[in-house]
């Protein structure tokens, strides 16, 4: 009888076309939209050499030191700072600047380099910083040579041009930083919580005062606990199948990189889905209001949790974590999203298992609460 109830619940779930749309087709459509909207986020921060013009007139040709500095920062390679274009006259440089083909241009006036730009921005700031650094080094070198003419033969210029670094950049993992993945993490968390619709449907068809099917099932000679368990597991199985389809679409079609810890990835999806289904069952069993109102509550709750987990605004999850850590830890969507984040970036599973522990506690509270409400529900008449 347990197997019969389990299989029957699965069949009923697949016949619910509206449910399949919201838990499978809609997330796939939203993931596709995210992919096309956010695919350039990771490349937006990539640095490209600043397009710069220099007026190569007689004054420039006489400034050997400045020429050497420009050639050094415009050489091909990973550390290339400027993409240099040489022009003969200032009028030609002005035309390039007006047409937007360069971010600024350099000239030599009264023996000193000068920068001309049209707008304010990051690239213009980089140009100004380069010029300021060159002027500072030149002034320092002139001052030292004035007091010690032999310093040039003692490696002064090499020492001044050499950049000393006193910090070392390290990474907790080999994963490349990504701005688009948090949106997909929050999307998966949203779909996990959408399992609440399956749980709500199961609770609806287990209560005799809400549906004719519930009334017939209440009269059946079966243990109530076995009936509830079979229904909940059937709902969970269907939702897990939709989650697996979504994950396959993200990994195999959209080619998103979630790291190589697929086992832990699937475990997170399993626990998150249990939280979603049990939450829906609890709302369906505990609240004595119309099913439409229960659905509205679940939709509002799911979207609010996902908003605070970063589904709509990047960085809001971090802000909540810093300013209201209790709210962040009580948000199931934030814990699911953070678990994916830990798997991608961290080299250990300490924080991951903390997230998973919180989710398991939520699932236990929601599930046991739903079962208690459904098992103790009695009716004087139907």
């Amino acid at each position: 009888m347990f197997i019969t109830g389990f299989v029957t619940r699965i069949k009923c779930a697949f016949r619910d076309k509206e449910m399949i749309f919201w838990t499978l087709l809609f997330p796939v459509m939203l993931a596709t939209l995210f992919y096309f909207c956010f695919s350039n986020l990771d490349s937006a921060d990539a640095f490209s050499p600043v397009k710069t013009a220099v007026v190569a007139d007689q004054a420039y040709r006489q400034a050997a030191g400045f020429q050497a500095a420009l050639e050094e920062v415009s050489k091909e390679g990973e550390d290339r700072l400027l993409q240099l274009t040489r022009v003969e006259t200032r009028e030609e440089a002005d035309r390039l600047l007006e047409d937007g083909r360069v971010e600024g241009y350099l000239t030599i006036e009264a023996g000193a380099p000068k920068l001309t730009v049209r707008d304010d921005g990051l690239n213009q700031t980089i140009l100004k910083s380069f010029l300021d650094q060159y002027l500072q080094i030149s002034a320092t070198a002139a001052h030292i040579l004035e007091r010690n003419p032999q310093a040039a033969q003692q490696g002064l210029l090499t020492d001044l041009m050499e950049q000393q670094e006193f910090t070392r950049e390290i990474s907790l993992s080999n994963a490349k930083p990504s701005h688009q993945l948090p949106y997909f993490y929050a999307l998966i968390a949203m779909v996990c919580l959408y399992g609440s619709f399956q749980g709500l449907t199961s609770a609806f068809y287990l209560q005799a005062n809400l549906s004719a099917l519930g009334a017939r099932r209440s009269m059946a000679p079966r243990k109530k606990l076995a009936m509830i368990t079979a229904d909940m597991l059937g709902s969970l199985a269907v939702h897990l199948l939709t989650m697996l389809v979504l994950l396959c679409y993200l990994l195999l079609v959209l080619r998103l990189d979630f790291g190589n810890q697929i086992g832990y990835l699937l475990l997170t999806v399993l626990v998150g889905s249990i939280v979603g289904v049990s939450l829906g069952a609890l709302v369906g069993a505990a609240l004595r209001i119309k099913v439409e109102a229960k659905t509205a509550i679940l939709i509002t709750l799911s979207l609010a949790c996902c908003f605070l987990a970063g589904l709509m605004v990047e960085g809001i999850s971090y802000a909540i974590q810093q300013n209201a850590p209790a709210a962040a830890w009580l948000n199931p969507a934030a814990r699911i999203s953070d678990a994916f984040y830990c798997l991608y970036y961290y080299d250990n599973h300490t924080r991951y298992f903390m997230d998973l522990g919180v989710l398991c506690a939520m699932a236990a509270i929601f599930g046991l609460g739903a079962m208690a409400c459904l098992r103790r529900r009695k009716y004087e008449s139907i």
Side-chain angles (χ1 to χ4, degrees), residues 29-320:
M29 293 165 57
L30 194 57
T32 306
L33 180 64
F34 279 9
Y35 178 77
F36 287 109
C37 290
F38 303 143
S39 59
N40 294 326
L41 284 180
D42 293 340
S43 60
D45 291 339
F47 177 78
S48 57
V50 182
K51 296 179 180 179
T52 311
V54 61
V55 180
D57 54 11
Q58 183 64 27
Y60 172 76
R61 287 189 287 271
Q62 293 177 353
F66 189 57
Q67 287 187 58
L70 285 180
E71 290 174 2
E72 182 66 26
V73 297
S74 60
K75 288 194 307 186
E76 294 289 344
E78 295 182 358
D79 298 331
R80 187 183 183 187
L81 181 66
L82 305 182
Q83 181 180 334
L84 203 61
T85 302
R86 292 175 175 82
V87 296
E88 295 297 328
T89 63
R90 182 163 183 162
E91 289 74 18
E92 188 177 353
D94 282 326
R95 285 196 298 271
L96 293 177
L97 185 61
E98 289 296 326
D99 294 341
R101 295 163 61 183
V102 295
E103 304 292 343
Y105 66 85
L106 298 162
T107 57
I108 299 294
E109 297 182 11
K114 180 182 178 182
L115 172 65
T116 302
V117 297
R118 185 180 62 174
D119 301 314
D120 294 331
L122 177 60
N123 289 333
Q124 288 79 4
T125 302
I126 292 174
L127 286 174
K128 185 177 185 304
S129 297
F130 160 73
L131 189 57
D132 289 344
Q133 185 178 19
Y134 170 79
L135 292 174
Q136 182 181 14
I137 292 175
S138 299
T140 302
H143 179 70
I144 294 175
L145 289 173
E146 182 181 352
R147 303 184 62 180
N148 181 15
Q150 302 301 321
Q153 286 75 33
Q154 298 171 359
L156 170 65
L157 296 180
T158 302
D159 292 340
L160 289 175
M161 295 300 296
E162 185 178 5
Q163 299 292 323
Q164 297 288 337
E165 295 184 0
F166 298 96
T167 59
R168 182 164 58 93
E169 182 179 354
I170 62 172
S171 176
L172 293 176
S173 68
N174 295 323
K176 294 176 58 178
S178 174
H179 291 285
Q180 66 170 329
L181 285 181
Y183 290 103
F184 289 99
Y185 294 158
L187 172 63
I188 297 174
M190 181 192 74
V191 183
C192 286
L193 293 186
Y194 273 9
S196 59
F197 302 145
Q198 294 285 359
L200 176 63
T201 302
S202 290
F204 178 77
Y205 288 122
L206 284 168
Q207 297 179 78
N209 61 322
L210 299 182
S211 64
L213 177 59
R216 291 197 300 272
R217 298 181 75 183
S218 296
M219 300 295 295
R222 293 178 57 191
K223 291 185 178 181
K224 196 70 173 288
L225 180 60
M227 188 185 304
I228 296 171
T229 304
D231 251 52
M232 292 302 166
L233 289 179
S235 297
L236 178 61
V238 173
H239 187 64
L240 280 177
L241 181 60
T242 61
M243 290 296 305
L244 289 177
V245 173
L246 175 63
L247 284 178
C248 289
Y249 180 75
L250 295 177
L251 297 173
L252 303 179
V253 179
L254 299 185
R255 299 287 183 177
L256 297 177
D257 182 12
F258 286 167
N260 55 4
Q261 303 188 66
I262 301 300
Y264 285 115
L265 186 76
L266 296 177
L267 177 61
T268 307
V269 170
L270 171 62
V271 177
S273 298
I274 295 174
V275 171
V277 173
S278 58
L279 173 62
L282 177 61
V283 171
L287 300 182
R288 297 177 179 273
I289 54 179
K290 292 184 177 180
V291 67
E292 292 81 6
K294 296 177 182 179
T295 303
I297 290 174
L298 289 175
I299 292 174
T300 303
L301 185 60
S302 298
L303 291 180
C305 290
C306 293
F307 171 77
L308 297 178
L311 181 63
M312 294 82 168
V313 180
E314 183 184 11
I316 191 171
S317 178
Y318 178 77
I320 297 296

